[in-house]
Amino acid sequence: MPIMAQRIPALAPERAAAIRAAYADVQRAKRLRTLGGLALLAFACLIAAWMAEVSPAKFAEGIPRFFNYFANLVPKIGFATFATDMAEWYWGFSRWMRLLFDTILIAYTGTIIGALIGGYLSFVAAETLTQTKWLVFVTRRFLEFCRTVPEIVFALIFIVAFGLGPLPGVMAIAIHTIGALGKLFSEVNENASLKPVEGVMSTGAGWHAAMIFGVLPQVLPNFVSYALLRFEMNIRGAAVMGFVGAGGIGQELVTAIRQFYYTDISAILILIIATVMLVDIGTEKLRHMIVGEGAH
Amino acid sequence: MAGIRTVLLDRARGLPPEHQALIHPGWRRHLVPFGVVFALVALFVFALDRFGFTFARIFGGIEQLGWIIYFMVPPNAEGQFLFFARALGETVAIALLGTLIGAILAFPLSLLAARNVMTNRIVQFMSRRTFDAVRGIDTLIWALIYVNVVGLGPFAGVLAIASSDMAGFAKIFSEAMEATEGKASEGVRSTGGRRSAEIAFGLLPQVMPVLISQVLYFFESNTRSATIIGIVGAGGIGLYLSDTIRTGEWQQVSMLILMILVVVSVIDVISTRLRFAIIGKRG
């Protein structure tokens, strides 16, 4: 092979030096940028630490208390008295389970209401499906508002309007779900094929019929998948609704933490974690069944 | 119009039985979907009843809500603007520090949970499960606990954000590590590099962009979480928010919500820009 045998001509020294210098320049610029970024970050952290009243002394003082606190959470369970110890740890089991059931139900109801309203609005918010530009714009801003204001803030306001209890909790979660699902759904809608819509429209059908028969069958599996994902997040959200008096297990947890009923805290936390995990596993299975492997 | 179905069904009668079953599948095939929908609706109705959704209560509440919105306009800080702005700054500070501390603590943990770094299956599996468990605890719960540990104030908020983020980060980081190519690590090993060198030079450069963009995403969402942890006394604007709602100073409430919306969207824009600048594309 003559090509293999050919020697690569040596680079002229001044050319090599120029290339080397250019490389060094690029590298220096890159390093400078990285260092500059890090310096900026460090500066931001210093300001943030000052604003957030971070003090190393307070932190050092807090460390033993921190470990004490978590050590206190562990119940005393003896091997010989296992059954009675467990019974004592979970003394409020039936009551907590009832509240936990309420929490799940709050999440469920909120998710359903949110998915229905958000689902309807998602068609209006899809650029490809709604021709009226201002309507798309207004709907999108509304959805943005719904998901940016934290649900607990909605809950606080709804408690004033509707009174204490799970009802304002459900409505707060529903509003937040409208915003979150409305956006995700509208993205799915925009990816849907327009051919079936044209087909339905060509028979003289109105906008609603075109959406129901042209788009909905294409997007429904994705809708259900996203709604299940949201349901799981809403359970977490519903678990803290009780903090402000909006029903569910949160009320019991907040009392336990404020009154330093250590073993109650751990008992309730474990129940919440177990519930979230079970729902997590369950919804994941369902989602894979509905949209196949590789779901979001 | 009404004829189409009849015509189709008439034609179907002439078909061989196996084809007929496809066109006219019978009630059995509808049983499961109908059953599922019925169960979902029944549970929904049960929940509405259990939670006291009555027309009187809903309409009464909506009327109240209408008044509240009426009282909210126009937003007005009523002389408290500087206090609100300071609290909002504190909120962003809590989010920034919490996110960074969470990310830094999560990094070594994520090595434990990545299948291609931690070869011990039991440790790998257990750490994944632990992250899942910790992730199940909401930031607000952490905040309440830390208020007991380090006292009221924004420091408790920082720790709360860091704790709840740590598990989320560790999970995402470890997944990013598992998605990397093994070739680079192999190359480092072939030159005689140790395990630590493999991770530092073979694995890290591949995952760094993903990690940074995730940190930015978390920072965005933490700014939202940090606005509410003040409700339990862990610093930030949440305290003003819950106080003004409880005392019914609605003009201040709407001002606070407006300020939060502005700051959150500004932070979204900044972090999106940064993400583009650091990783070059949407990631």
Side-chain angles (χ1 to χ4, degrees):
Chain A
M1 290 297 235
I3 294 175
M4 289 289 276
Q6 218 169 41
R7 282 190 56 149
I8 300 168
L11 216 53
E14 68 273 12
R15 185 103 180 85
I19 290 176
R20 209 171 288 135
Y23 178 71
D25 275 353
V26 170
Q27 205 166 33
R28 202 175 309 123
K30 199 181 164 205
R31 269 202 200 126
L32 215 63
R33 220 171 31 236
T34 311
L35 279 180
L38 283 179
L40 209 65
L41 184 66
F43 182 64
C45 280
L46 275 180
I47 293 183
W50 170 70
M51 290 205 84
E53 297 163 25
V54 172
S55 75
K58 209 162 111 191
F59 184 63
E61 186 191 322
I63 286 177
R65 257 189 296 165
F66 177 83
F67 285 109
N68 265 337
Y69 193 89
F70 284 93
N72 275 329
L73 290 184
V74 182
K76 289 177 188 62
I77 291 183
F79 191 70
T81 52
F82 183 75
T84 49
D85 284 347
M86 279 304 280
E88 201 185 309
W89 188 23
Y90 276 96
W91 64 275
F93 188 71
S94 61
R95 178 186 157 70
W96 294 335
M97 284 313 272
R98 218 167 33 242
L99 285 168
L100 205 55
F101 176 68
D102 268 357
T103 300
I104 298 173
L105 217 53
I106 290 172
Y108 173 76
T109 320
T111 312
I112 296 260
I113 298 176
L116 289 178
I117 300 177
Y120 181 79
L121 292 180
S122 75
F123 292 103
V124 186
E127 235 165 17
T128 49
L129 302 178
T130 304
Q131 306 307 329
T132 327
K133 286 282 161 286
W134 66 266
L135 200 58
V136 175
F137 181 82
V138 169
T139 314
R140 285 195 175 170
R141 293 295 86 74
F142 173 71
L143 294 176
E144 213 164 68
F145 173 78
C146 287
R147 66 172 181 274
T148 308
V149 178
E151 46 199 4
I152 215 112
V153 175
F154 279 126
L156 278 169
I157 296 176
F158 288 162
I159 283 171
V160 179
F162 293 92
L164 288 169
L167 190 144
V170 169
M171 300 195 91
I173 286 186
I175 295 270
H176 195 79
T177 307
I178 291 174
L181 286 184
K183 181 196 182 217
L184 289 172
F185 285 3
S186 73
E187 279 165 9
V188 176
N189 286 339
E190 284 177 352
N191 285 326
S193 161
L194 288 178
K195 297 230 165 94
V197 181
E198 274 166 36
V200 178
M201 288 280 201
S202 72
T203 65
W207 184 81
H208 281 95
M211 294 304 115
I212 293 173
F213 298 108
V215 186
L216 198 61
Q218 300 183 58
V219 294
L220 198 59
N222 277 320
F223 276 21
V224 175
S225 166
Y226 279 133
L228 283 170
L229 212 60
R230 192 70 229 173
F231 173 56
E232 189 221 316
M233 292 185 213
N234 282 345
I235 287 190
R236 275 171 237 212
V240 295
M241 278 297 159
F243 279 34
V244 295
I249 189 92
Q251 184 62 52
E252 202 76 351
L253 184 61
V254 88
T255 318
I257 297 179
R258 289 236 163 98
Q259 310 289 326
F260 295 93
Y261 297 148
Y262 289 106
T263 52
D264 282 11
I265 301 174
S266 56
I268 296 173
L269 278 183
I270 288 173
L271 283 180
I272 293 179
I273 290 170
T275 310
V276 170
M277 271 182 145
L278 280 179
V279 172
D280 195 0
I281 294 168
T283 52
E284 201 176 317
K285 284 246 165 70
L286 268 176
R287 283 192 304 122
H288 284 315
M289 251 169 65
I290 292 165
V291 287
E293 287 293 326
H296 352 268
Chain B
M1 277 305 284
I4 293 178
R5 191 178 156 82
T6 337
V7 169
L8 278 175
L9 286 177
D10 273 347
R11 277 199 198 155
R13 283 200 190 96
L15 290 172
E18 62 270 28
H19 291 189
Q20 241 182 50
L22 283 177
I23 289 180
H24 202 198
W27 58 275
R28 262 170 224 280
R29 257 200 62 195
H30 292 299
L31 201 61
V32 174
F34 269 114
V36 170
V37 170
F38 180 78
L40 289 175
V41 172
L43 187 60
F44 184 67
V45 172
F46 168 74
L48 293 188
D49 179 55
R50 184 177 168 87
F51 295 152
F53 272 78
T54 57
F55 278 108
R57 204 173 164 198
I58 297 289
F59 285 117
I62 287 175
E63 196 196 336
Q64 287 279 320
L65 210 56
W67 278 112
I68 290 174
I69 293 168
Y70 175 75
F71 289 135
M72 277 184 173
V73 201
N76 188 345
E78 290 165 359
Q80 302 259 57
F81 186 81
L82 285 178
F83 292 100
F84 290 174
R86 202 198 172 283
L88 208 49
E90 196 175 283
T91 301
V92 177
I94 291 170
L96 179 69
L97 288 180
T99 313
L100 277 178
I101 294 174
I104 291 168
L105 293 180
F107 183 72
L109 293 176
S110 68
L111 294 174
L112 287 181
R115 206 170 297 150
N116 51 350
V117 179
M118 190 68 217
T119 39
N120 186 333
R121 277 286 158 280
I122 298 166
V123 175
Q124 190 259 332
F125 180 79
M126 287 310 286
S127 35
R128 265 290 161 83
R129 285 280 150 260
T130 314
F131 300 155
D132 280 343
V134 177
R135 246 160 29 96
I137 303 175
D138 195 86
T139 315
L140 212 54
I141 300 177
W142 281 116
L144 203 54
I145 290 177
Y146 279 117
V147 164
N148 280 350
V149 177
V150 296
L152 291 167
F155 190 43
V158 172
L159 294 177
I161 300 253
S163 301
S164 68
D165 270 15
M166 203 170 66
F169 273 137
K171 185 184 157 81
I172 290 175
F173 286 1
S174 61
E175 277 166 2
M177 286 174 190
E178 282 174 6
T180 55
E181 282 268 334
K183 298 250 161 68
S185 301
E186 216 173 277
V188 175
R189 200 176 329 141
S190 72
T191 63
R194 269 175 295 135
R195 193 97 186 95
S196 53
E198 257 175 64
I199 292 169
F201 301 110
L203 192 74
L204 268 192
Q206 292 187 62
V207 293
M208 221 46 196
V210 183
L211 302 200
I212 290 175
S213 88
Q214 284 301 333
V215 171
L216 286 169
Y217 269 129
F218 270 64
F219 176 52
E220 276 172 50
S221 95
N222 282 338
T223 316
R224 281 159 227 233
S225 319
T227 57
I228 55 162
I229 52 177
I231 292 173
V232 297
I237 200 153
L239 187 62
Y240 285 113
L241 206 47
S242 67
D243 276 357
T244 49
I245 291 174
R246 289 214 175 102
T247 52
E249 280 153 301
W250 296 112
Q251 285 186 303
Q252 293 185 30
V253 174
S254 55
M255 188 68 196
L256 283 167
I257 292 179
L258 198 67
M259 287 169 78
I260 290 174
L261 290 180
V262 169
V263 168
V264 165
S265 56
V266 166
I267 291 215
D268 279 6
V269 170
I270 293 175
S271 109
T272 310
R273 282 262 174 96
L274 269 178
R275 205 160 41 232
F276 274 113
I278 289 170
I279 60 172
K281 59 180 176 6
R282 200 178 285 275

